[in-house]
Amino acid sequence: KMALHMFELAKAIKSKAVGEQHESLALTYINMARVYRSMGNFVRALEMSELALEINMAQLGVETVQTALSYSSKGEDLRLLGRGTEAVEMHERALRTMTQQRGPSHLSTATIQTSLALAYQSLGDVAKALELSQQSLAATSSALGEEHPGTADCLDCLGDAH
């Protein structure tokens, strides 16, 4: 709850200083979504993710890293709400944009691949989940090394997909 309080303060300060639609607020909304998600309040998390996406699309455009992260955040909330088809759609948009902006081997791309794998897994598409998890593992292992905890996290996801 303390984290949420800090993000609420940040939101109030930013809103007053730069306005409700400033791009800096989008990151605060994504952070708030993460906290609400950790509290199990997926509906409120989705609301925050949607606000972030709305701001990023209006202020930065569709094909930006920030917008891709907003799509992915919304996708995670949709998956947790049992709306797997919509989650896949959001993560697919995020992955296309992140791949264009950062490349297929970037860690941000790998993170979205993992999120997309989880969305496919929630729909029962194990083959697609495995394919994406393996791609994410390859990129993460290449970037961080085989002994890195981030690589171990990818192995966990790959194990879950089996």
Side-chain angles (χ1 to χ4, degrees):
K1 289 190 176 195
M2 181 57 86
L4 189 57
H5 177 69
M6 294 295 118
F7 291 132
E8 289 285 356
L9 282 173
K11 182 183 97 159
I13 292 167
K14 288 177 183 181
S15 294
K16 185 177 179 182
V18 296
E20 290 286 327
Q21 291 296 308
H22 193 269
E23 64 192 68
S24 67
L25 274 168
L27 179 59
T28 300
Y29 285 130
I30 286 176
N31 287 333
M32 290 171 73
R34 184 175 37 82
V35 173
Y36 280 119
R37 215 175 285 134
S38 73
M39 295 167 61
N41 190 343
F42 307 133
V43 171
R44 190 72 174 130
L46 178 59
E47 292 170 0
M48 296 296 106
S49 293
E50 287 174 335
L51 286 169
L53 180 58
E54 178 184 308
I55 290 169
N56 280 330
M57 288 179 69
Q59 301 301 319
L60 303 172
V62 177
E63 302 296 324
T64 66
V65 169
Q66 294 87 344
T67 302
L69 294 173
S70 296
Y71 276 129
S72 189
S73 181
K74 182 176 179 180
E76 181 63 10
D77 300 326
L78 290 166
R79 181 184 69 83
L80 291 168
L81 286 167
R83 295 163 57 184
T85 302
E86 294 170 87
V88 164
E89 182 183 324
M90 288 296 113
H91 288 305
E92 288 279 5
R93 287 182 186 178
L95 183 59
R96 273 193 306 275
T97 300
M98 194 62 77
T99 301
Q100 289 171 352
Q101 296 298 317
R102 296 271 171 97
S105 300
H106 194 275
L107 282 176
S108 296
T109 305
T111 299
I112 292 172
Q113 285 172 321
T114 297
S115 297
L116 181 56
L118 291 170
Y120 273 112
Q121 186 177 340
S122 76
L123 295 174
D125 191 340
V126 175
K128 189 66 175 174
L130 283 171
E131 175 189 335
L132 288 159
S133 294
Q134 289 167 341
Q135 291 171 2
S136 177
L137 175 62
T140 303
S141 180
S142 175
L144 300 176
E146 292 182 10
E147 301 296 320
H148 192 277
T151 303
D153 289 342
C154 286
L155 287 168
D156 285 340
C157 289
L158 189 57
D160 284 344
H162 275 284

